[in-house]
C-alpha cells in the first residue's frame, strides 16, 4: 500500500489498486462436522500417545529430568515449601470453617496431582486464602440452614469416628456432627467447582481468563483480604461469635465484635499480641534479606511449635478457656462421595470459585513461565486444577489453586520442576502420619495471627493507589470498585461487579472516541492529528478525519454527531434550512447564503477495527446526506474485515469496480483519497451519487 506523490504540475498518478485474494468457497456444515469428527474421533497409536503425554505432562518431561543439575534445587524448595505449608494449611482451615486435618489433606493431595498434571514448573498449588474464604462462606451458610448455628455446637471428640460411622452412599447420617457436615459441604463445593473447571477445559474455553484483568483480580484479592482480616479478629480476641451471612458481612462482623468486646479472652489476646510482635518484624526481615538468604527462615513454624508447647504446659485450654485446635487424627479416612442433594444449593457459588481458582492459577503460571522462558497450556492448567479439586474432594478436601506467596518461595529456593511439589507432599505425609496429633494444644488465635501476617502483601496494595491512578485512571477505578464491592458488600458480588465494570469501561472508551481532523506532514505523505502535532498542513477543499474506535450500534450516533461537528456542517440541519427557505419562496436569498464549510471529506478508517450493520448504515447515511449537498465522502485505509463488512452491507454494490478501477469510493491510502477528491471539478450537488 505504497503511493508516490506526483510532482507539482505532473500528471495525476493512478490510485493504488490491489486485487483481493479469493476466499475459499464456504463449506457445508455437514462437511465441517464430518471433518471435525474424523479429526477428533480417529485413533492411531501416535495420536493416542500424544494425547496421553499431553494430558499427563509428567510422562513427557520426567524421562528428560536432569538429575545432577535439578535434583538439589527441587529437594531444597520442596522441603522449605512443605515446612511452610504445615502451619499455613492448619491456619487456613479456619477460613474454610474446617478442622485443621482437612487443610493438611488438601495441601497434600493438591501437591501430588498438580505435579502429575500441571504444566508450570514453579507454581505452588494448595490452599489459597481467597478461595478458603469463599468456601467458608458457603459452609457457614449451609451449616446455619442445617441447624448448626454456632461453632460451639461441634463435638469435641475426634470427628473421624463419626465420619466413619456415617453411611457410604454420600448422604449425611444422623450421627454427623458440625465438623462432619462442614467438610461434607466443603468437599461438595470443591467437587462441583472441579467439574466446572474440567468441563471448561474440555470445551477449550481457557481463554475466559483474559476477561479477568490484573487490576480486577488484584482488587478482588485485596477486598477479600479485608474480609479475611476482619473474620480473624474473633480468634485474635478469643470470641465465639458466628460468621454473618449475606451482604455487608464486614459491617456485621465489626458490629458483633464491638458488642462482644467485653467477652474477650485475655489469654488469647495476650498470645495474639506476642505472636504478632514476633512474626511481623521477622517476616519483614525475611522479605528484606530474601536476596541474601538461600531460603526464608520458617519463623511461622517456630512460633507454632513454641506456642503449642506453651499452651500444653500452661494448660491454656482448661485453665483459661482458650480455644485450641483439638484432636488431629493421623492417617487418612476412607473416601466418601459428595452430597449430591447439596449440589443445586452450591452450584452458583462453585462456579465463581472455579473461575477465581482457574484465573489465579493461569495468571501465576504464565507469569513465571514467561520469566523463565517456557510455555504453559491454559487448557491443560484447567484440567490440572480441576482434578486437583475433583479427586481430593472424595478425601474430604476443599478448593485449591496456585498461591503467590508460596510460589515466590518455591522459585527463590531453587525450584526447577514439578518434582518440588512431590517433595512438599512427602513433608506433609510425614506430618499426617506422625506429627499431626502433637498440635492438639495449638491455640486458634496463633493460626489467626499467621493468616493476618500473610495478608501484608495484599493490604500493601492500598499504598499503590496513587501510582495506579497516575498510570491509568480506568484500571485504578476498576481496582477500587472491585475492591470496595468485595470488601463492603459481598465477596462473590465483587467479582461480578468487577467484570461488569471492566466491560462497561471498554464500552465507554468507544463512546468517548472522537473524530480527529488530520493534516499532512510537510515532507511525507503522512497524516496525523492537527491537535496532536505542530507544522501539519491541510488541503484546500478537502478535510481528512480519523475515528479512533469501531463503528457499531452503541456509538453510531456519536460517530455521526462528532463527524458533523468536526466538519462544521450538519447536512440534516442544512437541508432543513434550505427547505424552509424554499417553502417561504426565498430561493434567491437562500442561494446567496455562503457555504464556506462545504469541503470534500476523507474518512481515515485505519483505527476502525470492525463495523456492524448499524456501522455500515451510518456510513451510508453520511455519504448520502453529504452527497445531497454536493460534498463527496470517501473512505481510506480500511482493513480487510471492514472491507468485507462494507461489501456485504451494500456500501459499494458495484463489485466489479475494484477490478476496473472505477470504484474510487474506498482507497488504500489517504494520499490516493485526497488526490481523487481534489481532482473532482463537478459543481456541488450535480454529480452522480452512485458508488
Amino acid at each position: 500500500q505504497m503511493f508516490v506523490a506526483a510532482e507539482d504540475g505532473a500528471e495525476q498518478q493512478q490510485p493504488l489498486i490491489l486485487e483481493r485474494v479469493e476466499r475459499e468457497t464456504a463449506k457445508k456444515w455437514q462437511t465441517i462436522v464430518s471433518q471435525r469428527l474424523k479429526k477428533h474421533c480417529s485413533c492411531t497409536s501416535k495420536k493416542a500417545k500424544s494425547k496421553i503425554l499431553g494430558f499427563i505432562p509428567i510422562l513427557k518431561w520426567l524421562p528428560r529430568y536432569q538429575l545432577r543439575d535439578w535434583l538439589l534445587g527441587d529437594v531444597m524448595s520442596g522441603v522449605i515449601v512443605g515446612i511452610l505449608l504445615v502451619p499455613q494449611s492448619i491456619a487456613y482451615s479456619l477460613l474454610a470453617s474446617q478442622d485443621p486435618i482437612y487443610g493438611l489433606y488438601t495441601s497434600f493431595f493438591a501437591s501430588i496431582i498438580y505435579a502429575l498434571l500441571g504444566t508450570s514448573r514453579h507454581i505452588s498449588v494448595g490452599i489459597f486464602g481467597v478461595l478458603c474464604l469463599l468456601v467458608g462462606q458457603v459452609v457457614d451458610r449451609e451449616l446455619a440452614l442445617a441447624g448448626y448455628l454456632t461453632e460451639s455446637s461441634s463435638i469435641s471428640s475426634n470427628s473421624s469416628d463419626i465420619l466413619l460411622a456415617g453411611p457410604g452412599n454420600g448422604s449425611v447420617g444422623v450421627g454427623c456432627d458440625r465438623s462432619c457436615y462442614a467438610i461434607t459441604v466443603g468437599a461438595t463445593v470443591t467437587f462441583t467447582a472441579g467439574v466446572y473447571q474440567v468441563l471448561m477445559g474440555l470445551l477449550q474455553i481457557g481463554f475466559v481468563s483474559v476477561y479477568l484483568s490484573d487490576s480486577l483480580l488484584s482488587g478482588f484479592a485485596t477486598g477479600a483480604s479485608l474480609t479475611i482480616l476482619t473474620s480473624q479478629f474473633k480468634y485474635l480476641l478469643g470470641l465465639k461469635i458466628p460468621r454473618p451471612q449475606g451482604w455487608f458481612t464486614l459491617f456485621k462482623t465489626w458490629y458483633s465484635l464491638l458488642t462482644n468486646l467485653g467477652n474477650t479472652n485475655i489469654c488469647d489476646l495476650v498470645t495474639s499480641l506476642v505472636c504478632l510482635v514476633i512474626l511481623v518484624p521477622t517476616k519483614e526481615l525475611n522479605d528484606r534479606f530474601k536476596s541474601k538468604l538461600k531460603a526464608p527462615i520458617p519463623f511461622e513454624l517456630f512460633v507454632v511449635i513454641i506456642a503449642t508447647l506453651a499452651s500444653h504446659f500452661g494448660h491454656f485450654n482448661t485453665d483459661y478457656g482458650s480455644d485450641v485446635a483439638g484432636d488431629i487424627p493421623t492417617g487418612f479416612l476412607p473416601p466418601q462421595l459428595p452430597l449430591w442433594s447439596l449440589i443445586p444449593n452450591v452450584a452458583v457459588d462453585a462456579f465463581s470459585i472455579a473461575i477465581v481458582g482457574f484465573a489465579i492459577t493461569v495468571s501465576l503460571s504464565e507469569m513465571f513461565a514467561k520469566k523463565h522462558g517456557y510455555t504453559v497450556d491454559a487448557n491443560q492448567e484447567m484440567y490440572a486444577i480441576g482434578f486437583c479439586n475433583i479427586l481430593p474432594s472424595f478425601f474430604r478436601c476443599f478448593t485449591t489453586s496456585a498461591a503467590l506467596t508460596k510460589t515466590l518461595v518455591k522459585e527463590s529456593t531453587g525450584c526447577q520442576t514439578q518434582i518440588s511439589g512431590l517433595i512438599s507432599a512427602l513433608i506433609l505425609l510425614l506430618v499426617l502420619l506422625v506429627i499431626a496429633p502433637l498440635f492438639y494444644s495449638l491455640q486458634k488465635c496463633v493460626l489467626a495471627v499467621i493468616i493476618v501476617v500473610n495478608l501484608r502483601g495484599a493490604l500493601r496494595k492500598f499504598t499503590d493507589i496513587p501510582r495506579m491512578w497516575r498510570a491509568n485512571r480506568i484500571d485504578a477505578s476498576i481496582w477500587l470498585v472491585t475492591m470496595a464491592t468485595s470488601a463492603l458488600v459481598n465477596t462473590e458480588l465483587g467479582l461480578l461487579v468487577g467484570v461488569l465494570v471492566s466491560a462497561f469501561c471498554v464500552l465507554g472508551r468507544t463512546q468517548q472516541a472522537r473524530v480527529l481532523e488530520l493534516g499532512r506532514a510537510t515532507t511525507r505523505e503522512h497524516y496525523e492529528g492537527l491537535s496532536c502535532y505542530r507544522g501539519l498542513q491541510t488541503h484546500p477543499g478537502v478535510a481528512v478525519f480519523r475515528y479512533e474506535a469501531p463503528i457499531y450500534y452503541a456509538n453510531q450516533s456519536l460517530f455521526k454527531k462528532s463527524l458533523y461537528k468536526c466538519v462544521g456542517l450538519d447536512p440534516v440541519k442544512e437541508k432543513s434550512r434550505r427547505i424552509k427557505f424554499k417553502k417561504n419562496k426565498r430561493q434567491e436569498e437562500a442561494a446567496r447564503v455562503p457555504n464556506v464549510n462545504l469541503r470534500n471529506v476523507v474518512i481515515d478508517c485505519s483505527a476502525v477495527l470492525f463495523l456492524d450493520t448499524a456501522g455500515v448504515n451510518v456510513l451510508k447515511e453520511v455519504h448520502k446526506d453529504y452527497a445531497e449537498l454536493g460534498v463527496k465522502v470517501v473512505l481510506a485505509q480500511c482493513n480487510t474485515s471492514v472491507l468485507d463488512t462494507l461489501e456485504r452491507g451494500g456500501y459499494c454494490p458495484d463489485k466489479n469496480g475494484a477490478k476496473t478501477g472505477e470504484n474510487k469510493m474506498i482507497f488504500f491510502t489517504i494520499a490516493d483519497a485526497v488526490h481523487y477528491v481534489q481532482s473532482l471539478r463537478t459543481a456541488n450537488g450535480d454529480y452522480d451519487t452512485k458508488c
Side-chain angles (χ1 to χ4, degrees):
Q1 300 181 8
M2 182 172 62
F3 176 81
V4 180
E7 297 286 342
D8 291 339
E11 185 180 352
Q12 174 69 41
Q13 289 203 14
Q14 290 295 320
L16 176 64
I17 299 175
L18 297 177
E19 185 176 354
R20 290 288 301 274
V21 175
E22 294 184 3
R23 287 181 292 177
E24 296 181 3
T25 306
K27 298 179 182 178
K28 295 182 179 179
W29 68 269
Q30 297 94 331
T31 306
I32 296 174
V33 171
S34 175
Q35 290 176 345
R36 291 283 179 90
L37 289 174
K38 185 177 180 180
K39 178 181 178 181
H40 293 288
C41 297
S42 61
C43 184
T44 63
S45 58
K46 184 178 180 180
K47 191 172 182 179
K49 181 181 178 181
S50 175
K51 287 289 185 182
I52 294 172
L53 293 177
F55 186 72
I56 309 177
I58 194 173
L59 298 177
K60 186 183 296 183
W61 59 261
L62 188 59
R64 300 195 299 270
Y65 188 83
Q66 300 176 22
L67 195 66
R68 181 176 299 177
D69 297 331
W70 294 349
L71 185 61
L72 181 61
D74 282 341
V75 170
M76 178 178 287
S77 65
V79 169
I80 293 168
V81 172
I83 292 172
L84 292 176
L85 279 173
V86 174
Q88 290 188 13
S89 298
I90 296 174
Y92 280 99
S93 299
L94 292 180
L95 275 179
S97 298
Q98 307 297 343
D99 287 345
I101 187 66
Y102 303 122
L104 294 171
Y105 287 161
T106 301
S107 295
F108 170 75
F109 283 108
S111 297
I112 294 176
I113 295 171
Y114 188 81
L116 299 176
L117 301 180
T119 58
S120 174
R121 305 172 192 170
H122 293 89
I123 67 168
S124 175
V125 172
I127 291 178
F128 180 57
V130 175
L131 291 184
C132 291
L133 173 69
L134 296 176
V135 171
Q137 289 174 342
V138 179
V139 169
D140 283 349
R141 184 190 70 206
E142 295 302 321
L143 285 173
L145 292 174
Y148 301 100
L149 298 179
T150 63
E151 294 182 3
S152 59
S153 63
S154 61
I155 299 173
S156 59
S157 62
N158 190 342
S159 61
S160 62
D161 297 333
I162 299 172
L163 283 169
L164 291 170
N169 59 358
S171 63
V172 178
V174 177
C176 191
D177 70 339
R178 184 183 188 280
S179 171
C180 162
Y181 191 67
I183 192 57
T184 301
V185 175
T188 303
V189 172
T190 300
F191 173 82
T192 310
V195 169
Y196 282 137
Q197 289 167 335
V198 171
L199 286 176
M200 285 189 283
L202 287 172
L203 297 174
Q204 301 288 295
I205 54 176
F207 65 87
V208 294
S209 63
V210 302
Y211 295 106
L212 303 178
S213 64
D214 291 340
S215 56
L216 187 155
L217 287 174
S218 176
F220 174 71
T222 305
S225 297
L226 286 176
T227 306
I228 293 171
L229 177 66
T230 303
S231 70
Q232 296 309 296
F233 269 91
K234 67 177 182 179
Y235 297 108
L236 298 178
L237 300 175
L239 299 175
K240 297 184 184 297
I241 54 177
R243 181 184 291 179
Q245 299 296 317
W247 289 10
F248 308 107
T249 56
L250 193 79
F251 301 107
K252 294 176 182 177
T253 302
W254 278 109
Y255 177 78
S256 298
L257 288 171
L258 294 174
T259 55
N260 289 276
L261 206 57
N263 300 324
T264 299
N265 187 300
I266 302 301
C267 179
D268 283 342
L269 177 60
V270 171
T271 304
S272 300
L273 292 175
V274 171
C275 292
L276 282 170
V277 168
I278 295 172
L279 278 179
V280 171
T282 53
K283 295 282 281 187
E284 289 294 334
L285 286 173
N286 261 342
D287 291 344
R288 181 168 296 182
F289 297 104
K290 61 184 178 182
S291 60
K292 297 180 180 180
L293 294 171
K294 291 185 177 180
I297 303 172
F299 289 110
E300 290 174 345
L301 187 62
F302 297 156
V303 167
V304 165
I305 293 172
I306 295 170
T308 303
L309 292 173
S311 176
H312 176 73
F313 291 107
H315 306 289
F316 290 172
N317 178 238
T318 55
D319 294 352
Y320 303 102
S322 182
D323 201 7
V324 297
D327 288 325
I328 304 179
T330 57
F332 295 91
L333 298 170
Q336 72 172 15
L337 294 174
L339 186 57
W340 306 115
S341 61
L342 194 62
I343 290 179
N345 295 3
V346 302
V348 176
D349 306 282
F351 183 75
S352 61
I353 289 171
I355 293 295
V356 173
F358 165 69
I360 291 171
T361 301
V362 170
S363 299
L364 287 179
S365 298
E366 291 179 344
M367 181 174 72
F368 284 92
K370 183 178 180 180
K371 181 178 180 180
H372 291 276
Y374 62 93
T375 59
V376 292
D377 183 346
N379 284 306
Q380 181 60 31
E381 289 295 293
M382 185 84 86
Y383 287 130
I385 201 65
F387 282 106
C388 280
N389 288 322
I390 291 177
L391 299 179
S393 69
F394 295 105
F395 295 92
R396 302 171 180 84
C397 299
F398 47 91
T399 316
T400 58
S401 75
L404 177 60
T405 304
K406 291 184 282 292
T407 299
L408 289 171
V409 171
K410 191 174 179 180
E411 182 211 24
S412 64
T413 51
C415 172
Q416 298 293 330
T417 67
Q418 293 91 319
I419 292 294
S420 174
L422 297 178
I423 302 298
S424 299
L426 288 176
I427 301 296
L428 292 168
L429 181 63
L430 177 64
V431 174
L432 284 167
L433 295 179
V434 180
I435 304 174
L438 300 179
F439 294 109
Y440 175 91
S441 299
L442 177 61
Q443 293 167 275
K444 288 186 177 179
C445 65
V446 177
L447 302 177
V449 169
I450 293 174
I451 293 173
V452 169
V453 170
N454 280 298
L455 293 176
R456 294 171 306 123
L459 297 178
R460 280 199 188 111
K461 290 289 184 180
F462 285 104
T463 62
D464 291 339
I465 292 177
R467 180 190 57 79
M468 289 190 293
W469 187 259
R470 289 192 298 268
N472 191 307
R473 293 187 178 184
I474 293 178
D475 286 345
S477 300
I478 293 171
W479 188 94
L480 288 168
V481 171
T482 307
M483 180 277 299
T485 309
S486 300
L488 304 179
V489 183
N490 181 271
T491 310
E492 295 92 337
L493 183 66
L495 184 66
L496 176 61
V497 168
V499 172
L500 293 177
V501 169
S502 298
F504 281 117
C505 284
V506 173
L507 184 63
R509 291 181 185 185
T510 65
Q511 297 298 307
Q512 292 179 348
R514 51 200 179 109
V515 176
L516 297 176
E517 184 171 4
L518 306 185
R520 178 183 176 275
T522 56
T523 59
R524 303 283 176 87
E525 288 283 3
H526 182 74
Y527 291 80
E528 286 296 342
L530 292 173
S531 60
C532 302
Y533 296 93
R534 295 189 179 94
L536 300 178
Q537 299 176 347
T538 58
H539 300 281
V542 181
V544 183
F545 300 99
R546 176 186 295 154
Y547 191 65
E548 298 180 334
I551 305 175
Y552 63 115
Y553 70 94
N555 69 350
Q556 55 169 330
S557 59
L558 178 66
F559 163 74
K560 192 194 301 187
K561 181 179 178 182
S562 300
L563 179 64
Y564 292 169
K565 182 179 179 181
C566 205
V567 172
L569 175 66
D570 187 330
V572 178
K573 292 181 180 179
E574 177 65 18
K575 285 189 291 184
S576 299
R577 186 186 65 82
R578 292 188 178 187
I579 292 173
K580 182 179 178 181
F581 275 114
K582 287 181 180 180
K583 285 184 178 180
N584 293 331
K585 299 180 180 180
R586 299 172 62 182
Q587 292 96 340
E588 293 182 3
E589 196 173 329
R592 290 197 298 269
V593 176
N595 287 325
V596 295
N597 289 322
L598 287 180
R599 297 185 292 172
N600 293 320
V601 176
V602 176
I603 300 177
D604 173 19
C605 297
S606 60
V608 178
L609 298 180
F610 64 87
L611 296 171
D612 65 358
T613 303
V616 176
N617 289 336
V618 79
L619 286 175
K620 287 181 180 179
E621 292 173 13
V622 168
H623 178 266
K624 178 177 177 293
D625 291 342
Y626 272 127
E628 292 177 358
L629 299 178
V631 177
K632 189 77 169 179
V633 177
V634 298
L635 308 181
Q637 300 194 138
C638 299
N639 63 50
T640 53
S641 65
V642 169
L643 289 173
D644 291 339
T645 305
L646 290 171
E647 183 180 334
R648 289 194 299 267
Y651 183 81
C652 288
D654 184 6
K655 296 183 179 180
N656 295 322
K659 295 181 179 180
T660 62
E662 296 172 359
N663 181 3
K664 295 183 174 66
M665 298 301 299
I666 300 176
F667 297 85
F668 284 101
T669 69
I670 298 177
D672 286 343
V674 170
H675 286 304
Y676 168 70
V677 294
Q678 283 180 329
S679 68
L680 297 176
R681 294 291 183 266
T682 309
N684 287 340
D686 296 335
Y687 61 83
D688 186 3
T689 59
K690 292 182 180 180
C691 182

